[in-house]
Amino acid sequence: MIEHSSAAAGDSAAPEPARRDFVREIVRADLAAGRHNAIATRFPPEPNGYLHIGHAKAICLDFGIAAEFGGRCNLRFDDTNPAREDPEYVEAIKEDVRWLGFEWDQLRHASDYFEVFYRSAIRLIQTGHAFVCDLSAEQVREYRGTLTEPGRESPFRNRSVAENLDLFARMRAGEFADGTRTLRAKIDMASGNINLRDPALYRIKHVEHQNTGSDWPIYPMYDFAHSLSDAIEGITHSLCTLEFEDHRPLYDWCVDRVDLVNHPELWDFLPARGLPTAPSKPRQIEFSRLNINYTVMSKRKLIALVGEGLVDGWDDPRMPTLQGLRRRGVTPAALRLLAERVGISKQNSVIDYSVLEGCIREDLDANAQRRLAVLDPLKLVVVNLDADHVESIAFPNHPKNEAFGTRLVPFSRELWIEREDFMETPSKGFHRLVPGGEVRLRGVGIVRCVDVVKDGDTVTAVHCTLDAETRHGMPGADRKVKGTIHWVCAKHAIAAEVRLYDRLFTAADPDDDSDGKTYRDHLNPDSRRRVRGWVEPAAAQVETETRLQFERTGYFVADRREHSAAHPVFNRTVTLRDTWAKPK
Ligand code: ATP
Ligand code: MG
């Protein structure tokens, strides 16, 4: 068996060691035992919202395993809940999966199989495994029982096959109003697993569907549609999160009772519709969800954040959506690295936000070019240079990787430096510029502060002399001073809007409402600051979505919607170091 080392497209990294989580062990064992010639997985999002970082874990697993074991992975839209679904989400999900670096084998929709589900339901009626029930939703709840008490059988449970077939056909024909009847599996009202107490398979819902229009007034329930969709597509390993563990007996019940493998009449029209089909008996395997602190991940809360205007939409760079992370400058490689680090298990845990940030830094440190930018400018005048002095200084684009080449940075008499790099009355241990003191200007040489210009209490400029003996190639070039600061040339720098993003929540568990607060009360008021800074020309000129390290400042991305060379807009992806490690 050959294992491909890397799942994602566009990876040029050295082969990684084979991963050894329990899902991969199962797949290895199944292949070794000859249970499958090739494996097939699927990623099955419901198109009722944007994908978030938790989905990235599932995507990396579903697509990653398929690629590693030479199998295939479908993207399937689980579109059985038409009232909550939208084509806008469908397009975004496709874009996000590709952005993460994966390509699906086939694009499918649960709605492609509505006719298969319908025929399968009829088969279950014919074999005595399903019945039409007239109980209302409330009555069904009453009959269901509790965790400690068995349920009671529906009075409609023993309808004849003929009556069930007639009623189900009339449900399908649209004769009955929403909620008046359901088709239910006939399993066991006394089962310890409540999911097996005659669960609904179909409900009546007169609502338009984005793919099937008004063709269907009835829609299949999740467990029925999901298990059969997996079987139809020949999925071998159906990977899902732990909350579906209790549904697995029902999943297996549907697959076994319908038995698509031995009943081609239920699906044999699909290939003619361009949907090649080779049914399997899929195996469901559950793994723990990704949870990250300082974040909310439920779709309901993400929808609320957007709907209540607490963020600027789904792609707000503070959102844990893939669209938001992308706009923030997070790379697909960083998310794949996170998925790998977090690993796959059945243990529920909360990952510290710093693990995500660490993955982002690791990728950007290796791959982001360096540039100079000043975000809180103070004028520095090199008084011993001529007023019309201009030169270009070659800077390496990356300190550890010569392949990134060099660029020319303009330098002249007037510069911008960071205000915090100068202190008129220095505090102890301050090693940057002070009156009468020296500092190295990155790439230039050593300057000494000879004068401080003030307007009232505010320092408006510092005047310095440049020691020509310390310039590149001169005998004093290696002379040591304690501090090195960065700068941009005032004459050539481009004004830029810079958005300093931080965590959206100040509480590690924004969902904790034990003190009567909700996640809305834990929003970080400093999660976005907008500043006007100055960037060197070679920073302004980058394409949108280019990620850069602004030296000494952090990692930034040229905003994919608003950046242009004339009006640069940069989003801070992450600071250079973890500023949250110490409690604030
Ligand atoms: P909802 O159930 O509210 O619609 P969901 O997050 O479960 O939201 P789905 O579209 O059903 O959304 O998810 C698609 C796939 O992604 C499922 O297989 C699900 O198990 C997986 N998934 C969702 N959230 C996470 C998470 N936090 N970590 C890992 N996998 C996840
Ligand atoms: Mg779900």
Side-chain angles (χ1 to χ4, degrees):
M1 176 181 61
I2 297 169
E3 286 168 21
H4 301 276
S5 58
S6 179
D11 262 1
S12 57
E16 299 147 21
R19 295 179 207 165
R20 293 263 159 213
D21 55 72
F22 82 98
V23 177
R24 286 172 169 87
E25 293 298 359
I26 290 172
V27 169
R28 268 189 199 97
D30 284 350
L31 285 167
R35 277 191 275 276
H36 314 287
N37 294 323
I39 66 152
T41 59
R42 84 290 169 265
F43 174 64
E46 185 179 352
N48 62 354
Y50 284 82
L51 297 182
H52 54 62
I53 191 166
H55 292 114
K57 174 177 177 175
I59 293 170
C60 289
L61 182 67
D62 292 325
F63 285 92
I65 284 204
E68 282 161 50
F69 291 92
R72 60 188 174 85
C73 180
N74 285 354
L75 173 60
R76 179 171 70 236
F77 289 103
D78 197 351
D79 55 350
T80 54
N81 235 332
R84 294 192 298 163
E85 294 162 3
D86 197 301
E88 174 193 339
Y89 299 133
V90 171
E91 289 313 309
I93 289 170
K94 288 198 278 191
E95 182 181 325
D96 287 346
V97 171
R98 288 201 167 112
W99 176 76
L100 261 184
F102 299 103
E103 189 59 55
W104 45 89
D105 183 55
Q106 292 172 45
L107 181 70
R108 296 289 181 95
H109 303 81
S111 58
D112 295 337
Y113 312 135
F114 279 172
E115 181 64 28
V116 182
F117 302 150
Y118 182 67
R119 293 184 187 189
S120 300
I122 290 175
R123 177 172 144 72
L124 289 179
I125 294 173
Q126 286 166 337
T127 53
H129 292 302
F131 65 99
V132 173
C133 181
D134 301 358
L135 293 181
S136 67
E138 199 182 319
Q139 289 170 316
V140 168
R141 258 193 305 278
E142 280 165 24
Y143 275 77
R144 186 176 296 138
T146 64
L147 285 173
T148 49
E149 283 167 49
R152 283 178 293 138
E153 294 188 349
S154 161
F156 305 98
R157 197 174 198 263
N158 296 315
R159 276 179 162 149
S160 69
V161 168
E163 187 182 3
N164 280 321
L165 287 174
D166 173 63
L167 285 170
F168 189 54
R170 290 162 62 193
M171 280 170 64
R172 195 263 173 270
E175 266 187 47
F176 308 123
D178 287 7
T180 53
R181 290 194 163 83
T182 52
L183 181 76
R184 294 175 68 180
K186 197 187 281 190
I187 308 181
D188 178 6
M189 287 309 291
S191 172
N193 183 336
I194 292 186
N195 293 306
L196 295 181
R197 294 186 189 170
D198 293 3
L201 302 177
Y202 263 96
R203 63 197 186 288
I204 303 174
K205 232 177 184 162
H206 293 264
V207 55
E208 289 260 327
H209 186 281
Q210 52 167 329
N211 283 339
T212 59
S214 51
D215 287 356
W216 294 88
I218 54 173
Y219 289 96
M221 301 302 288
Y222 176 84
D223 292 296
F224 185 61
H226 190 78
S227 54
L228 294 187
S229 299
D230 281 347
I232 292 166
E233 292 174 21
I235 302 304
T236 56
H237 299 82
S238 175
L239 311 176
C240 63
T241 36
L242 279 177
E243 69 272 22
F244 294 105
E245 200 163 22
D246 286 350
H247 296 241
R248 192 186 336 133
L250 178 55
Y251 181 101
D252 290 337
W253 185 94
C254 293
V255 169
D256 291 338
R257 291 300 181 284
V258 172
D259 192 14
L260 291 166
V261 174
N262 293 307
H263 291 272
E265 72 280 6
L266 302 176
W267 51 266
D268 60 6
F269 55 92
L270 287 175
R273 295 185 187 175
L275 302 166
T277 303
S280 62
K281 175 169 164 47
R283 167 172 183 186
Q284 175 177 303
I285 304 168
E286 309 86 15
F287 62 94
S288 61
R289 302 174 81 83
L290 176 65
N291 300 301
I292 301 182
N293 61 10
Y294 297 96
T295 314
V296 295
M297 238 183 271
S298 94
K299 270 183 205 158
R300 193 172 52 76
K301 284 172 191 160
L302 297 178
I303 288 171
L305 285 172
V306 173
E308 295 171 26
L310 300 171
V311 295
D312 295 334
W314 288 99
D315 70 346
D316 184 301
R318 294 165 295 180
M319 287 283 275
T321 53
L322 297 187
Q323 298 270 332
L325 291 160
R326 176 175 181 178
R327 195 149 181 217
R328 177 81 170 253
V330 175
T331 59
L335 294 175
R336 297 195 301 260
L337 182 60
L338 177 73
E340 186 185 330
R341 283 226 169 121
V342 165
I344 296 296
S345 78
K346 277 188 176 286
Q347 226 63 51
N348 272 315
S349 66
V350 179
I351 301 299
D352 197 82
Y353 199 91
S354 62
V355 177
L356 166 63
E357 291 183 331
C359 293
I360 299 170
R361 286 190 191 101
E362 191 167 320
D363 181 41
L364 293 178
D365 179 46
N367 296 307
Q369 293 202 11
R370 273 46 173 180
R371 293 288 185 272
L372 300 177
V374 170
L375 302 188
D376 183 13
L378 172 65
K379 183 70 69 72
L380 183 152
V381 184
V382 186
V383 292
N384 60 338
L385 288 180
D386 292 341
D388 57 358
H389 178 96
V390 178
E391 62 180 291
S392 294
I393 300 175
F395 269 73
N397 287 327
H398 196 285
K400 288 169 266 182
N401 189 342
E402 282 184 15
F404 283 91
T406 60
R407 69 188 187 284
L408 293 175
V409 177
F411 169 73
S412 66
R413 190 172 187 266
E414 296 201 355
L415 310 174
W416 296 115
I417 63 168
E418 295 287 353
R419 187 163 285 276
E420 63 171 26
D421 283 337
F422 172 77
M423 272 184 107
E424 197 181 8
T425 331
S427 56
K428 200 159 166 282
F430 184 81
H431 293 308
R432 290 163 279 167
L433 195 59
V434 301
E438 284 187 321
V439 78
R440 181 179 298 280
L441 285 183
R442 179 109 165 77
V444 177
I446 294 173
V447 292
R448 176 182 296 280
C449 174
V450 293
D451 200 6
V452 179
V453 184
K454 293 172 72 169
D455 178 4
D457 282 345
T458 310
V459 176
T460 55
V462 288
H463 287 181
C464 294
T465 53
L466 171 61
D467 179 354
E469 286 297 303
T470 61
R471 301 217 54 195
H472 184 69
M474 300 299 285
D478 292 336
R479 181 157 77 80
K480 295 273 180 287
V481 283
K482 280 241 167 95
T484 298
I485 65 173
H486 68 278
W487 52 274
V488 293
C489 175
K491 194 181 284 177
H492 298 89
I494 316 288
E497 180 181 333
V498 182
R499 299 161 183 171
L500 301 172
Y501 290 109
D502 204 343
R503 299 177 187 183
L504 186 53
F505 295 99
T506 50
D509 182 5
D511 280 328
D512 177 16
D513 49 13
S514 56
D515 52 2
K517 292 184 172 172
T518 76
Y519 61 98
R520 294 177 186 81
D521 302 309
H522 296 299
L523 286 167
N524 176 5
D526 299 322
S527 63
R528 179 184 59 197
R529 274 196 304 130
R530 286 202 183 88
V531 299
R532 212 178 101 102
W534 296 98
V535 301
E536 61 165 295
Q541 284 150 11
V542 297
E543 298 283 319
T544 56
E545 286 210 276
T546 304
R547 291 112 179 167
L548 299 171
Q549 184 196 96
F550 289 163
E551 291 197 21
R552 302 181 61 230
T553 303
Y555 294 100
F556 291 80
V557 66
D559 188 74
R560 63 185 288 233
R561 309 223 182 275
E562 293 167 52
H563 171 85
S564 69
H567 298 285
V569 179
F570 288 98
N571 302 328
R572 183 170 70 196
T573 311
V574 66
T575 51
L576 289 182
R577 275 169 289 278
D578 187 353
T579 54
W580 285 71
K582 293 185 290 292
K584 274 197 163 175

